[in-house]
Amino acid sequence: MSTKEIKWTMFVITAVGNFIAMLDSTTVNLALYPMSVDLHVTMGQIQWVMIAYMLVLTVFLPFFGKLGDIFPKNKLYSIGFGIFALGAFLNTTAGSFGLLIAYRCLEALGASIMLSNAQAIIATIFKNERRGKALGLNGCLVAIGGMSGPALGGILINSFGWHSVFIPCIPVALIGSYYAYKVLPHHAKIDITNFKFDYKGFIYFTISLFALLLAISEGHSWGWNSLKIISLGIITLIFGILFYIRDHKINYPLINFSMFKIKPFTFGNLAVMTSYMAMYTNSILLPFFLQEILKYNALVTGLLILPYSVTLSFIAPIAGRLSGKYGSRQLTIAGPILYCIALLLFTIYNKNVAMWQIVFASGLMGIGNGLFQSPSNNAIMTSVQKHEVGIASGILALSRNMGNILGVAVTITLFETFRNIFIESGKIYDLAFLFSYRTTMCFGIFFGLCCLSFAFIAYQPQKKEIKS
């Protein structure tokens, strides 16, 4: 194969990991409601199917990113695909809530291995406009995974039950494992004897993040002034400070905080994190709204969510190419504006909403996200020096997944808190659901406006946006 063909083959293999992660996420998202019914757990409990997965994925990103510097990429990626396939298979056998959570954590380990290095590979093998195009196509493949998930998940849930939503990822991951071993680089960058990893910092980071998420997720049920929540807050603060101090004292930090002196990098990552928080505000609750209030089955629900992924898959590669050629500023401002408008539309929907209105709002949100994500990723990766691309990729993945985790936790917490308040005030369940759904969407708009503000600060007009 020519050098160009090899580059694009490597790109496809790395993008496949993102593809199955999105496919898994959207099908599981759709399955949360039937899961909660079948396993006899509340909405607050079932959120841990998502949170446990993203928590494990996130906390191991720095570790596997570091391993990517000392072990051959082909072996590491092949193992990642294999672990993901095993976790997905075990999910199809889960007979209890506890087993489902355990298997999801195993699946997340595989995803973390792949995602920790994907952006770095793409940013390393492509330059300038081609880099923007590649990141845009990566967004397109991710969107296709999202596009396939709801429709495929709806068919599977209707026909075979929620366990079956994990099946499509298994053959894709196995094929990815084979080709990753065959095609990706076979040589390590550095000698294994030079490997240094901040294990203490990793432990501090994990404890602090877990305590924070547990407090956010359970605060409404335990009581925000309860001893448990106060204790978790103290643990978060103590271990967060310990992590920060340690990473400033050692010369092989888990997260290189000096990179946050770069304004486009810092505010760009904040924009990415808050964009995912805004996205998840609706993506978590919309399936519940469509199935529990509008009484649509899983297949119809999947088809109504589909326009988001269709428009995203169409816009993402175009936006990525334009950002590589003209810069990211205008695109990263237009994106949040559009999905804030979409969230505003969802705040006025009720039981009489027409299908076309849901389709329109979902499609508009996909356009907004497509305009934002690829240009933002491109701007962040090109704001750092070439030797820092690997570290930047890891931090970008952390920002993205922190947005996912916080989006899920905050959304469910807000929704259940507002719903309980409205029910206690005497409203019937359907009205309480609608009021809490709309109120939570308002917080999604707030996160979207935060994203817009961070993007405005991050991507100021510059004479030269791309650094070599």
Side-chain angles (χ1 to χ4, degrees):
M1 287 192 294
S2 67
T3 302
K4 183 178 179 181
E5 288 174 333
I6 292 172
K7 284 183 177 182
W8 283 106
T9 302
M10 292 170 63
F11 162 78
V12 170
I13 292 169
T14 56
V16 163
N18 290 333
F19 169 83
I20 60 174
M22 179 57 71
L23 181 68
D24 177 86
S25 177
T26 52
T27 52
V28 170
N29 221 11
L30 189 66
L32 289 178
Y33 178 68
M35 280 178 184
S36 66
V37 173
D38 186 46
L39 298 176
H40 309 291
V41 294
T42 65
M43 188 185 294
Q45 292 172 309
I46 204 65
Q47 70 173 313
W48 281 94
V49 173
M50 299 289 293
I51 289 180
Y53 175 87
M54 289 186 286
L55 177 61
V56 171
L57 188 156
T58 301
V59 298
F60 279 97
L61 282 170
F63 177 70
F64 290 127
K66 189 73 173 180
L67 289 184
D69 288 332
I70 63 167
F71 288 108
K73 285 286 194 296
N74 66 323
K75 292 181 180 178
L76 197 63
Y77 259 76
S78 185
I79 291 170
F81 274 119
I83 293 175
F84 189 92
L86 176 61
F89 170 74
L90 291 174
N91 281 325
T92 65
T93 69
S96 68
F97 182 62
L99 284 176
L100 179 61
I101 297 297
Y103 298 152
R104 286 285 286 167
C105 289
L106 178 63
E107 191 180 18
L109 279 176
S112 187
I113 291 174
M114 296 182 289
L115 295 179
S116 57
N117 292 287
Q119 297 283 357
I121 290 178
I122 294 172
T124 300
I125 61 179
F126 295 103
K127 305 299 178 186
N128 300 334
E129 186 178 348
R130 286 186 177 179
R131 178 185 289 173
K133 179 182 177 181
L135 289 169
L137 287 172
N138 180 56
C140 180
L141 285 174
V142 169
I144 292 172
M147 180 173 62
S148 308
L152 185 60
I155 294 171
L156 290 172
I157 293 169
N158 266 10
S159 304
F160 307 106
W162 62 264
H163 285 90
S164 62
V165 300
F166 299 101
I167 293 175
C169 290
I170 299 173
V172 177
L174 292 175
I175 293 170
S177 179
Y178 173 78
Y179 281 103
Y181 186 81
K182 289 288 185 181
V183 177
L184 291 183
H186 290 57
H187 304 288
K189 291 182 181 179
I190 59 175
D191 194 299
I192 193 169
T193 56
N194 296 323
F195 175 65
K196 291 182 178 181
F197 183 75
D198 182 16
Y199 294 100
K200 280 188 177 180
F202 175 71
I203 293 171
Y204 295 157
F205 176 74
T206 302
I207 293 174
S208 179
L209 181 59
F210 184 80
L212 172 65
L213 292 171
L214 185 61
I216 292 173
S217 302
E218 301 297 336
H220 68 284
S221 58
W222 292 349
W224 293 105
N225 295 323
S226 67
L227 181 61
K228 289 181 180 179
I229 297 300
I230 293 173
S231 299
L232 287 172
I234 294 172
I235 291 171
T236 299
L237 186 63
I238 290 174
F239 282 94
I241 292 172
L242 287 173
F243 171 68
Y244 182 80
I245 293 173
R246 179 167 178 80
D247 260 35
H248 275 75
K249 292 174 76 173
I250 61 175
N251 56 11
Y252 52 99
L254 191 68
I255 296 175
N256 187 359
F257 283 100
S258 65
M259 295 179 66
F260 290 98
K261 295 177 182 178
I262 305 170
K263 187 168 72 170
F265 182 82
T266 301
F267 287 94
N269 275 285
L270 286 172
V272 167
M273 185 180 73
T274 49
S275 76
Y276 275 89
M277 292 179 71
M279 290 295 105
Y280 267 78
T281 304
N282 187 59
S283 63
I284 287 294
L285 294 181
L286 185 58
F288 284 89
F289 172 67
L290 296 176
Q291 293 177 92
E292 194 166 350
I293 300 301
L294 300 186
K295 306 301 180 184
Y296 292 132
N297 61 35
L299 177 58
V300 174
T301 298
L303 292 174
L304 289 173
I305 296 172
L306 190 61
Y308 168 82
S309 300
V310 172
T311 53
L312 175 58
S313 65
F314 178 75
I315 294 295
I318 298 174
R321 179 177 291 186
L322 290 174
S323 70
K325 192 172 184 179
Y326 300 109
S328 301
R329 180 173 170 79
Q330 302 303 325
L331 294 167
T332 54
I333 289 175
I337 291 174
L338 287 181
Y339 57 69
C340 281
I341 293 172
L343 289 169
L344 183 62
L345 291 175
F346 280 113
T347 64
I348 63 175
Y349 289 168
N350 56 33
K351 294 180 69 173
N352 298 318
V353 62
M355 284 188 176
W356 73 264
Q357 292 174 301
I358 297 171
V359 168
F360 176 76
S362 295
L364 188 63
M365 186 169 287
I367 293 172
N369 204 23
L371 288 173
F372 175 79
Q373 293 300 337
S374 298
S376 182
N377 291 343
N378 187 30
I380 290 169
M381 296 303 293
T382 54
S383 69
V384 301
Q385 300 298 323
K386 187 176 180 180
H387 68 276
E388 297 173 319
V389 165
I391 301 172
S393 176
I395 295 175
L396 175 57
L398 278 172
S399 299
R400 185 168 55 246
N401 286 284
M402 277 297 294
N404 290 343
I405 296 170
L406 291 173
V408 174
V410 171
T411 295
I412 296 294
T413 299
L414 289 172
F415 176 79
E416 292 211 322
T417 300
F418 291 132
R419 187 183 61 182
N420 291 339
I421 291 172
F422 289 129
I423 289 175
E424 290 171 4
S425 68
K427 289 181 172 61
I428 62 174
Y429 180 83
D430 283 5
L431 283 178
F433 186 106
L434 283 172
F435 279 122
S436 55
Y437 176 72
R438 292 169 177 173
T439 308
T440 306
M441 288 304 105
C442 291
F443 281 85
I445 295 171
F446 170 73
F447 298 141
L449 293 175
C450 289
C451 172
L452 176 63
S453 301
F454 292 138
F456 183 83
I457 296 170
Y459 312 124
Q460 294 290 337
Q462 297 178 5
K463 293 181 179 179
K464 189 175 181 181
E465 184 180 350
I466 300 171
K467 297 181 181 180
S468 58

